[in-house]
Amino acid sequence: MPSDSSLRLVWIYPDLLSTYGDQGNVLVLEQRARRRGIEVETVHVRSSDPVPETGDVYLIGGGEDRPQILAAQRLRKDGGLHRAIARGASMLAVCAGYQIMGSTFGGEEGQPVDGIGLLDISSTRGPARAVGELVAEVDSELNLPTLSGFENHMGVTHLGPGVKPLSRTLVGTGNGDGFEGCYAGHVVGTYLHGPALARNPALADLLLEWAVGSTLAPIDDSWYDRLRKERLDTVLAR
Ligand code: GLN
């Protein structure tokens, strides 16, 4: 991020993909950056508008099958997100948004639909809808605490050699193969709703650190910690 400008967050297609409070991920990044004295500018990009290429962190959420297909078509045609990620921007893609990043995903009838090919993954329909709490232990390279959130999806996701699993699933379905989500470079895909970054502030800080290129000062996270502990204790005690 250039030092003379603010951190630029780009929220992609709120008109198509924004289920289960995923927009909260934007608010969490804004707040956690501002609490460190970092100025933030957020751009909400509707699906009729071009995706700006100059963002620092891109966010995309979950959605129903039809808006998901439309979003994939428009993002592919637009090309702005590809150029931004090629420049080194960071991204958090959730559920439908995660599936779209791959080569293909399952449409309303399970038919393969083209994704945008930003991550080496593909998704198909799973045997049953995965609904409920999701808890997962993060890949040790990322040095993050256990992730928690909830999931609601039909798709399962197959990871290619170009990505690493984000975490190992302890509770819930995630990708459907014992792992949950994936990452490659500064791009993270996940099935976690909740919103993910409210439940997992360390993941929010990782995205911010990638964007600003340095470690962030710690902040008082007592409220976040209470929420995390309550959810984890409840789910792991079941
Ligand atoms: N439509 C996708 C699925 O069912 C994504 C759902 C979602 O984003 N919650 O797998």
Side-chain angles (χ1 to χ4, degrees):
M1 188 186 74
S3 57
D4 58 347
S5 65
S6 44
L7 181 75
R8 203 146 183 249
L9 307 182
V10 183
W11 175 228
I12 298 172
Y13 296 174
D15 53 328
L16 295 179
L17 298 174
S18 187
T19 47
Y20 310 119
D22 289 334
Q23 185 161 2
N25 289 329
V26 184
L27 301 177
V28 172
L29 283 187
E30 286 174 348
Q31 287 306 315
R32 295 187 74 79
R34 288 189 180 129
R35 286 170 71 189
R36 268 67 172 246
I38 300 169
E39 279 183 38
V40 181
E41 185 194 331
T42 302
V43 185
H44 291 223
V45 186
R46 295 180 61 81
S47 60
S48 50
D49 296 332
V51 177
E53 297 169 30
T54 53
D56 298 301
V57 186
Y58 289 74
L59 297 120
I60 184 165
E64 307 300 326
D65 294 342
R66 285 188 182 192
Q68 179 179 5
I69 293 170
L70 195 56
Q73 287 165 350
R74 293 192 175 174
L75 278 176
R76 218 178 30 251
K77 203 163 157 212
D78 180 88
L81 183 60
H82 280 85
R83 291 189 286 275
I85 300 301
R87 253 191 42 243
S90 308
M91 177 162 69
L92 177 70
V94 176
C95 206
Y98 169 37
Q99 295 176 0
I100 283 175
M101 296 306 138
S103 54
T104 52
F105 60 89
E108 303 123 286
E109 310 297 334
Q111 78 279 15
V113 176
D114 286 343
I116 69 167
L118 259 180
L119 286 173
D120 183 15
I121 59 169
S122 63
S123 303
T124 52
R125 289 246 143 171
R129 179 164 284 276
V131 189
E133 290 290 323
L134 185 52
V135 178
E137 223 163 45
V138 183
D139 182 68
S140 57
E141 261 182 47
L142 292 179
N143 193 26
L144 293 176
T146 303
L147 297 173
S148 96
F150 73 91
E151 59 183 338
N152 185 354
H153 55 102
M154 273 300 292
V156 291
T157 297
H158 319 281
L159 308 189
V163 295
K164 286 187 165 182
L166 174 66
S167 54
R168 186 175 290 279
T169 312
L170 299 177
V171 175
T173 301
N175 296 338
D177 61 355
F179 293 104
E180 170 357 70
C182 78
Y183 71 102
H186 292 173
V187 176
V188 174
T190 178
Y191 276 108
L192 291 167
H193 294 287
L197 299 184
R199 291 223 196 167
N200 305 286
L203 181 57
D205 283 358
L206 179 68
L207 291 165
L208 291 175
E209 288 180 352
W210 282 342
V212 301
S214 59
T215 310
L216 297 173
I219 47 178
D220 176 11
D221 271 334
S222 8
W223 278 98
Y224 282 97
D225 291 344
R226 274 174 63 180
L227 173 66
R228 275 181 56 72
K229 187 171 174 342
E230 185 190 298
R231 295 313 310 160
L232 283 173
D233 287 353
T234 310
V235 176
L236 294 173
R238 277 180 197 158

